[in-house]
Amino acid sequence: MNKRIKKKRELENRLKKAEQAVEYLLCQNNQLWYIVDEMKEINSQNTEATNNRFDQIEAEVKALKKTQKKSWFSRK
Protein backbone atom coordinates (compact mmCIF):
# COMPACT_ATOMS: atom_id res chain seq x y z
CA MET A 1 0.00 0.00 0.00
CA ASN A 2 2.88 2.32 0.65
CA LYS A 3 4.07 1.98 -2.97
CA ARG A 4 0.62 2.84 -4.29
CA ILE A 5 0.46 6.02 -2.22
CA LYS A 6 3.95 7.03 -3.36
CA LYS A 7 3.01 6.45 -7.00
CA LYS A 8 -0.21 8.39 -6.57
CA ARG A 9 1.61 11.34 -4.99
CA GLU A 10 4.26 11.20 -7.70
CA LEU A 11 1.56 11.34 -10.39
CA GLU A 12 -0.22 14.17 -8.60
CA ASN A 13 3.01 16.16 -8.39
CA ARG A 14 3.70 15.59 -12.08
CA LEU A 15 0.16 16.68 -12.92
CA LYS A 16 0.55 19.88 -10.85
CA LYS A 17 3.86 20.67 -12.59
CA ALA A 18 2.28 20.04 -15.99
CA GLU A 19 -0.65 22.32 -15.13
CA GLN A 20 1.75 25.05 -14.00
CA ALA A 21 3.73 24.69 -17.22
CA VAL A 22 0.55 24.96 -19.30
CA GLU A 23 -0.55 28.04 -17.34
CA TYR A 24 2.87 29.68 -17.85
CA LEU A 25 2.82 28.92 -21.57
CA LEU A 26 -0.68 30.34 -21.95
CA CYS A 27 0.42 33.53 -20.22
CA GLN A 28 3.44 33.81 -22.52
CA ASN A 29 1.24 33.14 -25.54
CA ASN A 30 -1.13 35.95 -24.52
CA GLN A 31 1.80 38.34 -24.12
CA LEU A 32 3.07 37.44 -27.58
CA TRP A 33 -0.35 38.03 -29.12
CA TYR A 34 -0.44 41.44 -27.44
CA ILE A 35 2.95 42.27 -28.97
CA VAL A 36 1.78 41.05 -32.39
CA ASP A 37 -1.29 43.29 -32.18
CA GLU A 38 0.89 46.29 -31.30
CA MET A 39 3.20 45.54 -34.23
CA LYS A 40 0.25 45.27 -36.61
CA GLU A 41 -1.01 48.66 -35.45
CA ILE A 42 2.41 50.25 -35.90
CA ASN A 43 2.74 48.63 -39.32
CA SER A 44 -0.61 49.98 -40.48
CA GLN A 45 0.31 53.48 -39.26
CA ASN A 46 3.62 53.31 -41.13
CA THR A 47 1.85 52.10 -44.27
CA GLU A 48 -0.61 54.99 -44.16
CA ALA A 49 2.17 57.52 -43.62
CA THR A 50 4.19 56.09 -46.50
CA ASN A 51 1.19 56.08 -48.82
CA ASN A 52 0.40 59.69 -47.94
CA ARG A 53 3.98 60.69 -48.64
CA PHE A 54 3.95 58.93 -52.03
CA ASP A 55 0.67 60.64 -52.90
CA GLN A 56 2.26 64.02 -52.15
CA ILE A 57 5.28 63.19 -54.28
CA GLU A 58 3.09 62.04 -57.18
CA ALA A 59 1.12 65.28 -56.98
CA GLU A 60 4.34 67.30 -57.03
CA VAL A 61 5.63 65.35 -60.04
CA LYS A 62 2.36 65.94 -61.92
CA ALA A 63 2.54 69.64 -61.16
CA LEU A 64 6.12 69.78 -62.42
CA LYS A 65 5.24 67.93 -65.61
CA LYS A 66 2.40 70.33 -66.37
CA THR A 67 4.51 73.45 -65.89
CA GLN A 68 7.58 72.03 -67.60
CA LYS A 69 8.25 73.58 -70.96
CA LYS A 70 8.43 71.26 -73.93
CA SER A 71 11.70 71.06 -75.75
CA TRP A 72 12.15 72.94 -79.00
CA PHE A 73 12.46 69.72 -81.05
CA SER A 74 9.23 68.22 -79.80
CA ARG A 75 7.15 71.30 -80.61
CA LYS A 76 5.03 71.12 -83.73
Side-chain angles (χ1 to χ4, degrees):
M1 194 158 117
N2 219 1
K3 288 182 182 179
R4 288 182 188 167
I5 293 172
K6 286 182 182 177
K7 284 183 182 180
K8 182 181 177 184
R9 287 184 183 160
E10 177 76 26
L11 290 174
E12 287 174 350
N13 287 338
R14 286 185 183 178
L15 181 63
K16 285 180 185 177
K17 287 180 182 178
E19 287 175 349
Q20 288 174 351
V22 167
E23 190 174 320
Y24 174 77
L25 291 174
L26 287 174
C27 180
Q28 292 296 319
N29 191 24
N30 288 340
Q31 289 177 352
L32 290 175
W33 277 113
Y34 178 74
I35 292 170
V36 167
D37 289 339
E38 284 181 348
M39 294 294 211
K40 283 181 182 178
E41 186 176 324
I42 290 170
N43 189 17
S44 66
Q45 290 173 356
N46 288 343
T47 303
E48 288 176 16
T50 303
N51 287 341
N52 290 338
R53 181 70 180 137
F54 279 129
D55 290 342
Q56 289 175 353
I57 291 172
E58 286 177 355
E60 290 173 8
V61 168
K62 275 186 181 180
L64 285 175
K65 282 184 178 180
K66 284 182 181 178
T67 60
Q68 191 176 26
K69 197 173 189 180
K70 292 185 179 180
S71 70
W72 187 75
F73 293 108
S74 67
R75 292 185 189 171
K76 292 183 182 179

Coordinates of all heavy atoms in Angstrom, one line a residue:
M1 N 0.8 -1.2 0.0 CA 0.0 0.0 0.0 C 0.9 1.3 0.0 O 0.5 2.3 -0.6 CB -0.9 0.0 1.2 CG -2.0 1.0 1.1 SD -3.4 0.6 2.2 CE -3.3 1.9 3.3
N2 N 2.0 1.2 0.6 CA 2.9 2.3 0.6 C 3.3 2.7 -0.8 O 3.5 3.9 -1.1 CB 4.1 2.0 1.5 CG 4.5 3.1 2.4 OD1 3.9 4.2 2.3 ND2 5.6 2.9 3.2
K3 N 3.6 1.7 -1.6 CA 4.1 2.0 -3.0 C 3.0 2.7 -3.8 O 3.2 3.6 -4.6 CB 4.5 0.7 -3.7 CG 5.8 0.1 -3.2 CD 6.1 -1.1 -4.0 CE 7.4 -1.8 -3.5 NZ 7.7 -3.0 -4.2
R4 N 1.8 2.2 -3.6 CA 0.6 2.8 -4.3 C 0.5 4.3 -3.9 O 0.2 5.2 -4.8 CB -0.7 2.1 -4.0 CG -0.8 0.8 -4.6 CD -2.1 0.1 -4.3 NE -2.1 -1.3 -4.7 CZ -3.0 -2.1 -4.4 NH1 -4.0 -1.8 -3.6 NH2 -3.0 -3.4 -4.8
I5 N 0.6 4.6 -2.7 CA 0.5 6.0 -2.2 C 1.6 6.9 -2.8 O 1.4 8.0 -3.3 CB 0.4 6.1 -0.7 CG1 -0.8 5.4 -0.1 CG2 0.5 7.5 -0.2 CD1 -0.9 5.3 1.4
K6 N 2.8 6.3 -2.8 CA 3.9 7.0 -3.4 C 3.7 7.3 -4.9 O 4.0 8.4 -5.3 CB 5.2 6.2 -3.1 CG 5.8 6.3 -1.7 CD 7.1 5.5 -1.6 CE 7.5 5.5 -0.2 NZ 8.8 4.7 0.0
K7 N 3.3 6.3 -5.6 CA 3.0 6.4 -7.0 C 1.9 7.5 -7.2 O 2.0 8.3 -8.2 CB 2.6 5.1 -7.6 CG 3.8 4.2 -7.8 CD 3.3 2.9 -8.5 CE 4.4 1.9 -8.7 NZ 4.0 0.7 -9.4
K8 N 0.9 7.4 -6.4 CA -0.2 8.4 -6.6 C 0.3 9.8 -6.3 O 0.0 10.7 -7.1 CB -1.3 8.1 -5.6 CG -2.5 9.0 -5.7 CD -3.6 8.6 -4.7 CE -4.8 9.6 -4.8 NZ -5.8 9.3 -3.7
R9 N 1.1 10.0 -5.3 CA 1.6 11.3 -5.0 C 2.6 11.8 -6.1 O 2.5 13.0 -6.5 CB 2.3 11.3 -3.7 CG 1.4 11.3 -2.5 CD 2.1 11.3 -1.2 NE 1.1 11.2 -0.1 CZ 1.4 10.9 1.1 NH1 2.7 10.6 1.5 NH2 0.5 10.8 2.1
E10 N 3.4 10.9 -6.6 CA 4.3 11.2 -7.7 C 3.5 11.7 -8.9 O 3.8 12.7 -9.6 CB 5.1 10.0 -8.1 CG 6.0 10.2 -9.2 CD 7.3 11.0 -8.9 OE1 7.7 11.0 -7.7 OE2 7.8 11.6 -9.8
L11 N 2.4 11.0 -9.3 CA 1.6 11.3 -10.4 C 0.9 12.7 -10.1 O 0.8 13.5 -11.1 CB 0.5 10.3 -10.7 CG 1.1 9.0 -11.3 CD1 0.0 7.9 -11.4 CD2 1.7 9.2 -12.6
E12 N 0.4 12.9 -8.9 CA -0.2 14.2 -8.6 C 0.8 15.3 -8.7 O 0.4 16.4 -9.3 CB -0.8 14.1 -7.2 CG -2.1 13.3 -7.1 CD -2.5 13.2 -5.6 OE1 -1.8 13.6 -4.7 OE2 -3.7 12.6 -5.4
N13 N 2.0 15.1 -8.3 CA 3.0 16.2 -8.4 C 3.3 16.4 -9.9 O 3.5 17.6 -10.3 CB 4.3 15.8 -7.6 CG 4.1 15.8 -6.1 OD1 3.2 16.6 -5.6 ND2 4.9 15.1 -5.4
R14 N 3.4 15.4 -10.6 CA 3.7 15.6 -12.1 C 2.6 16.3 -12.7 O 2.8 17.2 -13.6 CB 3.9 14.3 -12.8 CG 5.2 13.6 -12.5 CD 5.4 12.4 -13.3 NE 6.6 11.7 -13.0 CZ 7.0 10.6 -13.6 NH1 6.3 10.0 -14.5 NH2 8.2 10.0 -13.2
L15 N 1.3 16.0 -12.4 CA 0.2 16.7 -12.9 C 0.2 18.2 -12.5 O -0.1 19.0 -13.4 CB -1.1 16.0 -12.4 CG -2.4 16.6 -13.0 CD1 -2.5 16.4 -14.5 CD2 -3.6 15.9 -12.3
K16 N 0.5 18.5 -11.3 CA 0.5 19.9 -10.9 C 1.6 20.6 -11.6 O 1.4 21.8 -12.1 CB 0.9 20.0 -9.4 CG -0.3 19.6 -8.5 CD 0.0 19.7 -7.0 CE -1.1 19.3 -6.1 NZ -0.7 19.3 -4.7
K17 N 2.8 20.0 -11.8 CA 3.9 20.7 -12.6 C 3.4 20.9 -14.0 O 3.7 21.9 -14.6 CB 5.1 19.8 -12.5 CG 5.8 19.9 -11.2 CD 7.1 19.0 -11.2 CE 7.8 19.0 -9.8 NZ 9.0 18.2 -9.8
A18 N 2.8 19.9 -14.6 CA 2.3 20.0 -16.0 C 1.3 21.2 -16.1 O 1.3 22.0 -17.0 CB 1.7 18.7 -16.5
E19 N 0.3 21.3 -15.1 CA -0.7 22.3 -15.1 C 0.0 23.7 -15.0 O -0.4 24.6 -15.7 CB -1.7 22.1 -14.0 CG -2.6 21.0 -14.2 CD -3.5 20.7 -13.1 OE1 -3.3 21.2 -12.0 OE2 -4.5 19.9 -13.2
Q20 N 1.0 23.8 -14.2 CA 1.8 25.0 -14.0 C 2.5 25.4 -15.3 O 2.5 26.6 -15.7 CB 2.8 25.0 -12.9 CG 2.1 24.9 -11.5 CD 3.2 24.7 -10.4 OE1 4.3 24.4 -10.7 NE2 2.7 24.8 -9.1
A21 N 3.0 24.4 -16.0 CA 3.7 24.7 -17.2 C 2.7 25.2 -18.3 O 3.0 26.1 -19.0 CB 4.4 23.4 -17.7
V22 N 1.6 24.6 -18.3 CA 0.6 25.0 -19.3 C 0.1 26.4 -19.0 O -0.1 27.2 -19.9 CB -0.6 24.0 -19.3 CG1 -1.8 24.5 -20.0 CG2 -0.2 22.6 -19.9
E23 N -0.1 26.7 -17.7 CA -0.6 28.0 -17.3 C 0.5 29.1 -17.7 O 0.2 30.1 -18.3 CB -0.8 28.1 -15.8 CG -1.5 29.3 -15.3 CD -1.8 29.2 -13.9 OE1 -2.3 28.2 -13.4 OE2 -1.6 30.3 -13.2
Y24 N 1.8 28.8 -17.5 CA 2.9 29.7 -17.8 C 2.9 29.9 -19.4 O 3.0 31.0 -19.8 CB 4.2 29.1 -17.4 CG 5.4 29.9 -17.8 CD1 5.7 31.1 -17.2 CD2 6.2 29.4 -18.8 CE1 6.8 31.8 -17.6 CE2 7.3 30.1 -19.3 CZ 7.6 31.3 -18.6 OH 8.7 32.0 -19.1
L25 N 2.8 28.8 -20.1 CA 2.8 28.9 -21.6 C 1.6 29.7 -22.1 O 1.8 30.5 -23.1 CB 2.9 27.5 -22.2 CG 4.2 26.8 -22.0 CD1 4.1 25.3 -22.5 CD2 5.4 27.5 -22.6
L26 N 0.5 29.5 -21.5 CA -0.7 30.3 -22.0 C -0.5 31.8 -21.7 O -0.8 32.7 -22.5 CB -1.9 29.8 -21.3 CG -2.5 28.5 -21.7 CD1 -3.7 28.1 -20.9 CD2 -2.9 28.6 -23.2
C27 N 0.1 32.1 -20.5 CA 0.4 33.5 -20.2 C 1.4 34.1 -21.2 O 1.2 35.2 -21.7 CB 1.0 33.6 -18.8 SG 1.4 35.3 -18.3
Q28 N 2.5 33.4 -21.5 CA 3.4 33.8 -22.5 C 2.8 34.0 -23.9 O 3.1 34.9 -24.6 CB 4.6 32.8 -22.6 CG 5.5 32.7 -21.4 CD 6.2 34.1 -21.1 OE1 6.7 34.7 -22.0 NE2 6.2 34.5 -19.9
N29 N 1.9 33.1 -24.3 CA 1.2 33.1 -25.5 C 0.4 34.4 -25.6 O 0.4 35.1 -26.6 CB 0.4 31.9 -25.7 CG -0.1 31.8 -27.1 OD1 0.4 32.3 -28.1 ND2 -1.3 31.1 -27.3
N30 N -0.3 34.7 -24.5 CA -1.1 35.9 -24.5 C -0.3 37.2 -24.7 O -0.7 38.1 -25.4 CB -2.0 36.0 -23.2 CG -3.1 35.0 -23.2 OD1 -3.5 34.5 -24.3 ND2 -3.5 34.7 -22.0
Q31 N 0.9 37.2 -24.0 CA 1.8 38.3 -24.1 C 2.3 38.5 -25.5 O 2.4 39.6 -26.1 CB 3.0 38.2 -23.2 CG 2.6 38.4 -21.7 CD 3.8 38.2 -20.8 OE1 4.8 37.7 -21.2 NE2 3.6 38.4 -19.5
L32 N 2.6 37.4 -26.2 CA 3.1 37.4 -27.6 C 2.0 38.0 -28.5 O 2.3 38.7 -29.4 CB 3.6 36.1 -28.0 CG 4.9 35.6 -27.4 CD1 5.2 34.2 -27.8 CD2 6.0 36.5 -27.7
W33 N 0.7 37.5 -28.3 CA -0.4 38.0 -29.1 C -0.5 39.5 -28.9 O -0.8 40.3 -29.9 CB -1.7 37.3 -28.8 CG -1.7 36.0 -29.6 CD1 -1.7 34.8 -29.0 CD2 -1.8 35.8 -31.0 NE1 -1.8 33.8 -30.0 CE2 -1.9 34.4 -31.2 CE3 -1.9 36.7 -32.0 CZ2 -1.9 33.9 -32.5 CZ3 -1.9 36.1 -33.3 CH2 -2.0 34.8 -33.5
Y34 N -0.3 40.0 -27.7 CA -0.4 41.4 -27.4 C 0.6 42.2 -28.2 O 0.4 43.2 -28.8 CB -0.3 41.7 -25.9 CG -0.3 43.1 -25.6 CD1 -1.5 43.9 -25.6 CD2 0.9 43.8 -25.2 CE1 -1.5 45.2 -25.2 CE2 0.8 45.1 -24.8 CZ -0.3 45.8 -24.9 OH -0.4 47.2 -24.5
I35 N 1.9 41.7 -28.2 CA 3.0 42.3 -29.0 C 2.7 42.3 -30.5 O 2.9 43.2 -31.2 CB 4.3 41.6 -28.7 CG1 4.7 41.8 -27.2 CG2 5.4 42.0 -29.6 CD1 5.8 41.0 -26.7
V36 N 2.1 41.2 -31.0 CA 1.8 41.0 -32.4 C 0.7 42.1 -32.8 O 0.8 42.8 -33.8 CB 1.3 39.6 -32.7 CG1 0.6 39.6 -34.1 CG2 2.4 38.6 -32.7
D37 N -0.3 42.3 -31.9 CA -1.3 43.3 -32.2 C -0.7 44.7 -32.2 O -1.1 45.5 -33.1 CB -2.4 43.2 -31.1 CG -3.3 42.0 -31.3 OD1 -3.3 41.4 -32.4 OD2 -3.9 41.6 -30.3
E38 N 0.2 45.0 -31.3 CA 0.9 46.3 -31.3 C 1.7 46.5 -32.6 O 1.7 47.6 -33.2 CB 1.8 46.4 -30.1 CG 1.2 46.7 -28.8 CD 2.1 46.8 -27.7 OE1 3.3 46.5 -27.8 OE2 1.7 47.2 -26.6
M39 N 2.4 45.5 -33.0 CA 3.2 45.5 -34.2 C 2.3 45.7 -35.5 O 2.7 46.5 -36.4 CB 4.0 44.3 -34.4 CG 5.1 44.1 -33.4 SD 6.3 45.4 -33.5 CE 7.7 44.6 -33.0
K40 N 1.2 45.1 -35.5 CA 0.2 45.3 -36.6 C -0.2 46.7 -36.7 O -0.4 47.3 -37.7 CB -1.0 44.3 -36.5 CG -0.7 42.9 -36.9 CD -1.9 42.0 -36.8 CE -1.6 40.6 -37.1 NZ -2.8 39.8 -37.0
E41 N -0.5 47.3 -35.5 CA -1.0 48.7 -35.4 C 0.1 49.6 -35.9 O -0.2 50.5 -36.7 CB -1.4 49.0 -34.0 CG -2.1 50.4 -33.9 CD -2.5 50.6 -32.5 OE1 -3.0 49.7 -31.8 OE2 -2.4 51.8 -32.0
I42 N 1.3 49.4 -35.5 CA 2.4 50.2 -35.9 C 2.6 50.1 -37.4 O 2.9 51.1 -38.1 CB 3.7 49.9 -35.1 CG1 3.5 50.3 -33.7 CG2 4.9 50.5 -35.7 CD1 4.6 49.8 -32.8
N43 N 2.5 48.9 -37.9 CA 2.7 48.6 -39.3 C 1.7 49.4 -40.2 O 2.0 49.9 -41.2 CB 2.7 47.1 -39.6 CG 3.1 46.8 -41.0 OD1 3.7 47.6 -41.7 ND2 2.8 45.6 -41.4
S44 N 0.4 49.3 -39.7 CA -0.6 50.0 -40.5 C -0.4 51.5 -40.5 O -0.6 52.2 -41.5 CB -2.0 49.6 -39.9 OG -2.2 50.1 -38.6
Q45 N 0.0 52.1 -39.3 CA 0.3 53.5 -39.3 C 1.4 53.9 -40.2 O 1.4 54.9 -40.9 CB 0.7 53.9 -37.8 CG -0.5 53.8 -36.9 CD -0.1 54.1 -35.4 OE1 1.1 54.2 -35.1 NE2 -1.0 54.1 -34.5
N46 N 2.5 53.0 -40.2 CA 3.6 53.3 -41.1 C 3.2 53.2 -42.6 O 3.6 54.0 -43.4 CB 4.8 52.4 -40.9 CG 5.5 52.6 -39.6 OD1 5.4 53.7 -39.0 ND2 6.2 51.7 -39.1
T47 N 2.3 52.3 -42.9 CA 1.9 52.1 -44.3 C 1.1 53.3 -44.7 O 1.2 53.8 -45.8 CB 1.0 50.8 -44.4 OG1 1.7 49.7 -43.9 CG2 0.5 50.6 -45.8
E48 N 0.2 53.8 -43.8 CA -0.6 55.0 -44.2 C 0.3 56.2 -44.4 O 0.1 57.0 -45.3 CB -1.6 55.3 -43.0 CG -2.8 54.3 -43.0 CD -3.7 54.5 -41.8 OE1 -3.6 55.6 -41.2 OE2 -4.5 53.6 -41.5
A49 N 1.3 56.4 -43.5 CA 2.2 57.5 -43.6 C 3.0 57.5 -44.9 O 3.1 58.5 -45.6 CB 3.1 57.6 -42.4
T50 N 3.4 56.3 -45.3 CA 4.2 56.1 -46.5 C 3.3 56.4 -47.7 O 3.7 57.0 -48.7 CB 4.8 54.7 -46.6 OG1 5.6 54.4 -45.4 CG2 5.6 54.5 -47.8
N51 N 2.1 55.8 -47.7 CA 1.2 56.1 -48.8 C 0.9 57.6 -49.0 O 0.8 58.1 -50.1 CB -0.1 55.3 -48.6 CG 0.1 53.8 -48.9 OD1 1.1 53.4 -49.5 ND2 -0.8 53.0 -48.4
N52 N 0.7 58.2 -47.9 CA 0.4 59.7 -47.9 C 1.6 60.4 -48.5 O 1.4 61.3 -49.3 CB 0.1 60.2 -46.6 CG -1.3 59.8 -46.1 OD1 -2.1 59.4 -46.8 ND2 -1.5 59.8 -44.8
R53 N 2.8 60.0 -48.1 CA 4.0 60.7 -48.6 C 4.1 60.4 -50.1 O 4.4 61.4 -50.9 CB 5.2 60.2 -47.9 CG 6.5 60.8 -48.3 CD 6.6 62.2 -47.9 NE 7.8 62.8 -48.4 CZ 8.0 64.0 -48.9 NH1 7.0 64.7 -49.1 NH2 9.2 64.4 -49.3
F54 N 3.9 59.2 -50.6 CA 3.9 58.9 -52.0 C 2.9 59.7 -52.8 O 3.1 60.1 -53.9 CB 3.8 57.4 -52.3 CG 5.1 56.7 -52.1 CD1 5.1 55.6 -51.3 CD2 6.3 57.1 -52.7 CE1 6.3 54.9 -51.1 CE2 7.5 56.4 -52.5 CZ 7.5 55.3 -51.7
D55 N 1.7 59.9 -52.2 CA 0.7 60.6 -52.9 C 1.1 62.1 -53.1 O 0.9 62.7 -54.1 CB -0.6 60.6 -52.1 CG -1.3 59.2 -52.2 OD1 -0.9 58.4 -53.1 OD2 -2.2 59.0 -51.3
Q56 N 1.7 62.7 -52.1 CA 2.3 64.0 -52.1 C 3.3 64.1 -53.2 O 3.3 65.1 -54.0 CB 2.9 64.5 -50.8 CG 1.8 64.7 -49.7 CD 2.5 65.0 -48.4 OE1 3.7 64.9 -48.3 NE2 1.7 65.4 -47.4
I57 N 4.2 63.2 -53.3 CA 5.3 63.2 -54.3 C 4.7 63.1 -55.7 O 5.1 63.8 -56.6 CB 6.3 62.1 -54.0 CG1 7.1 62.4 -52.7 CG2 7.3 61.9 -55.2 CD1 8.0 61.3 -52.2
E58 N 3.7 62.2 -55.9 CA 3.1 62.0 -57.2 C 2.4 63.3 -57.6 O 2.5 63.7 -58.8 CB 2.1 60.9 -57.2 CG 2.7 59.5 -57.2 CD 1.7 58.4 -57.1 OE1 0.5 58.7 -56.9 OE2 2.1 57.3 -57.1
A59 N 1.8 64.0 -56.7 CA 1.1 65.3 -57.0 C 2.2 66.3 -57.4 O 2.0 67.1 -58.4 CB 0.3 65.8 -55.8
E60 N 3.3 66.3 -56.7 CA 4.3 67.3 -57.0 C 4.9 67.0 -58.4 O 5.2 67.9 -59.2 CB 5.4 67.2 -56.0 CG 5.0 67.8 -54.6 CD 6.1 67.6 -53.6 OE1 7.2 67.2 -53.9 OE2 5.8 67.9 -52.4
V61 N 5.1 65.7 -58.7 CA 5.6 65.4 -60.0 C 4.7 65.7 -61.1 O 5.1 66.3 -62.2 CB 5.9 63.8 -60.1 CG1 6.2 63.4 -61.5 CG2 7.1 63.5 -59.2
K62 N 3.4 65.5 -60.9 CA 2.4 65.9 -61.9 C 2.4 67.4 -62.1 O 2.3 67.9 -63.3 CB 1.0 65.5 -61.5 CG 0.6 64.1 -61.8 CD -0.9 63.9 -61.4 CE -1.3 62.5 -61.8 NZ -2.7 62.2 -61.4
A63 N 2.5 68.2 -61.1 CA 2.5 69.6 -61.2 C 3.8 70.1 -61.9 O 3.7 71.0 -62.8 CB 2.5 70.3 -59.8
L64 N 4.9 69.4 -61.7 CA 6.1 69.8 -62.4 C 6.0 69.4 -63.9 O 6.5 70.2 -64.7 CB 7.3 69.1 -61.8 CG 7.8 69.6 -60.5 CD1 8.9 68.7 -60.0 CD2 8.3 71.0 -60.6
K65 N 5.4 68.3 -64.2 CA 5.2 67.9 -65.6 C 4.3 68.9 -66.4 O 4.6 69.2 -67.5 CB 4.7 66.5 -65.7 CG 5.7 65.5 -65.4 CD 5.2 64.1 -65.7 CE 6.2 63.0 -65.5 NZ 5.7 61.7 -65.7
K66 N 3.3 69.4 -65.7 CA 2.4 70.3 -66.4 C 3.1 71.7 -66.7 O 2.9 72.3 -67.7 CB 1.2 70.6 -65.5 CG 0.2 69.4 -65.5 CD -1.0 69.8 -64.7 CE -2.0 68.6 -64.6 NZ -3.2 68.9 -63.8
T67 N 3.9 72.1 -65.7 CA 4.5 73.4 -65.9 C 5.8 73.4 -66.7 O 6.3 74.4 -67.1 CB 4.8 74.1 -64.5 OG1 5.7 73.2 -63.8 CG2 3.5 74.3 -63.7
Q68 N 6.3 72.2 -66.9 CA 7.6 72.0 -67.6 C 7.4 72.4 -69.1 O 6.4 72.0 -69.7 CB 8.1 70.6 -67.5 CG 9.5 70.4 -67.9 CD 9.9 69.0 -67.7 OE1 9.1 68.1 -67.6 NE2 11.2 68.8 -67.5
K69 N 8.3 73.1 -69.6 CA 8.3 73.6 -71.0 C 8.7 72.5 -71.9 O 9.7 71.8 -71.6 CB 9.1 74.8 -71.1 CG 8.9 75.6 -72.4 CD 9.7 76.9 -72.3 CE 9.3 77.8 -73.4 NZ 10.1 79.0 -73.4
K70 N 8.0 72.3 -73.0 CA 8.4 71.3 -73.9 C 9.7 71.7 -74.7 O 9.9 72.9 -74.9 CB 7.3 71.0 -74.9 CG 6.1 70.3 -74.3 CD 5.1 70.0 -75.4 CE 3.9 69.3 -74.8 NZ 2.9 68.9 -75.8
S71 N 10.5 70.7 -75.0 CA 11.7 71.1 -75.7 C 11.4 71.6 -77.1 O 10.3 71.4 -77.7 CB 12.6 69.8 -75.8 OG 12.1 68.9 -76.7
W72 N 12.3 72.3 -77.7 CA 12.1 72.9 -79.0 C 11.9 71.9 -80.1 O 11.2 72.1 -81.0 CB 13.4 73.8 -79.3 CG 13.2 74.6 -80.5 CD1 12.5 75.7 -80.7 CD2 13.8 74.3 -81.8 NE1 12.5 76.2 -81.9 CE2 13.3 75.3 -82.7 CE3 14.6 73.3 -82.3 CZ2 13.7 75.4 -84.0 CZ3 15.0 73.4 -83.6 CH2 14.5 74.4 -84.5
F73 N 12.6 70.7 -80.0 CA 12.5 69.7 -81.0 C 11.1 69.0 -81.0 O 10.7 68.5 -82.0 CB 13.6 68.7 -80.9 CG 14.9 69.2 -81.2 CD1 15.8 69.5 -80.1 CD2 15.3 69.6 -82.4 CE1 17.1 70.0 -80.4 CE2 16.6 70.1 -82.7 CZ 17.5 70.3 -81.7
S74 N 10.5 68.9 -79.9 CA 9.2 68.2 -79.8 C 8.0 69.1 -80.1 O 6.9 68.6 -80.2 CB 9.0 67.6 -78.4 OG 8.9 68.6 -77.5
R75 N 8.2 70.4 -80.3 CA 7.1 71.3 -80.6 C 6.8 71.1 -82.1 O 7.6 71.0 -82.9 CB 7.5 72.8 -80.4 CG 7.7 73.1 -78.9 CD 8.0 74.5 -78.8 NE 8.4 74.8 -77.4 CZ 8.9 76.0 -77.0 NH1 9.0 77.0 -77.9 NH2 9.2 76.1 -75.8
K76 N 5.5 71.2 -82.3 CA 5.0 71.1 -83.7 C 4.0 72.2 -84.0 O 3.3 72.7 -83.3 CB 4.4 69.7 -84.0 CG 5.5 68.7 -83.9 CD 4.9 67.3 -84.2 CE 6.0 66.3 -84.1 NZ 5.5 65.0 -84.4

